[in-house]
Amino acid sequence: MNRLKIALTKGRLEKSAIELFEKAGIDCSPLREDTRRLIHTLPTEPLDILLVKAQDVITYVEHGVCDLGIVGKDTILEHGNSFFEILDLGFGACRFVLATKKGEDLYGKYRDIRIATKYPKVAKNYFEKMGMNVDIIKIEGSVEIAPLLGLADAVVDIVETGTTLKENGLQAVDDISRVSARLIVNIASMKINRTQIMEFVDKLDSVL
Ligand code: PRP
């Protein structure tokens, strides 16, 4: 039996993914150790888990060096290209929103509005559907600062608890889409390792 490789998003999704695996009866003890190791060989399953950044989950799966990946739908919408998205894992639930400073009249301006975002593709698709021309400014993080400093009129960003928006005096003015963690599979690997992959998928699915 081949050992399957799964790229797992470090940080926000990591803990919930490990909890889900354990609920499905998969021994994740190597991942529970306090270590900086990035590749973990599971003792009871033919699975190796690699801890990587969200965008890199997609890169590794698309290039076929990992068979599977666990990554947020937000990253898939922004960076995904070709793989199978096979399960909605439910955790990591948040939403994409358009948000402005409280009281801002976003649509009353006599110029194209400026949008700051970590997700230019998601923002572009949203405003294209709305039939609006906008200037999109790519920001790498702490996007909520951009409207406060006047760099942008609004942001397109993910909201989980709403605390960051609230504590920075912003409010959501439109919901764009819901996102959560997804299990993705490399297209060739799905053909070659179908039985083994589907056994793993069924194991996870049974405890969702
Ligand atoms: C994300 C997102 C918001 C925040 C939302 O940022 O971009 O800023 O979390 O979470 P909340 O609704 O629970 O407050 P992240 O923490 O990933 O950091 P970043 O802004 O540096 O990318």
Side-chain angles (χ1 to χ4, degrees), residues 183-202:
L183 181 69
I184 62 172
V185 184
N186 171 268
I187 292 171
S189 181
M190 188 60 160
K191 286 193 186 126
I192 300 161
N193 303 303
R194 185 174 186 90
T195 310
Q196 206 181 338
I197 287 174
M198 288 319 292
E199 269 171 22
F200 174 68
V201 170
D202 289 344

Side-chain angles (χ1 to χ4, degrees), residues 27-84:
D27 180 351
C28 291
S29 48
L31 286 143
R32 293 283 184 193
E33 286 164 20
D34 186 17
T35 153
R36 289 284 300 160
R37 279 183 69 97
L38 299 173
I39 303 180
H40 297 272
T41 301
L42 298 189
T44 57
E45 304 274 329
L47 289 177
D48 295 332
I49 299 191
L50 295 87
L51 297 174
V52 300
K53 291 214 177 226
Q55 252 176 271
D56 299 334
V57 169
I58 289 180
T59 304
Y60 285 122
V61 172
E62 285 188 340
H63 282 78
V65 295
C66 287
D67 306 283
L68 300 123
I70 291 182
V71 65
K73 181 70 178 178
D74 53 324
T75 308
I76 293 176
L77 288 171
E78 186 64 28
H79 301 287
N81 198 7
S82 65
F83 44 75
F84 294 120

Side-chain angles (χ1 to χ4, degrees), residues 17-29 42-45 47 200 203-204 206-207:
I18 294 169
E19 280 167 9
L20 177 69
F21 285 10
E22 287 178 339
K23 207 170 151 195
I26 299 169
D27 180 351
C28 291
S29 48
L42 298 189
T44 57
E45 304 274 329
L47 289 177
F200 174 68
K203 217 179 238 189
L204 295 187
S206 68
V207 293

Side-chain angles (χ1 to χ4, degrees), residues 123-162:
K124 183 171 172 280
N125 289 342
Y126 169 72
F127 284 104
E128 269 176 11
K129 274 191 199 134
M130 303 275 285
M132 285 175 68
N133 287 326
V134 294
D135 289 335
I136 293 172
I137 303 164
K138 172 87 193 300
I139 294 283
E140 298 300 331
S142 305
V143 177
E144 293 82 358
I145 290 174
L148 305 179
L149 297 186
L151 178 69
D153 303 300
V155 299
V156 165
D157 200 12
I158 48 169
V159 169
E160 191 178 0
T161 60

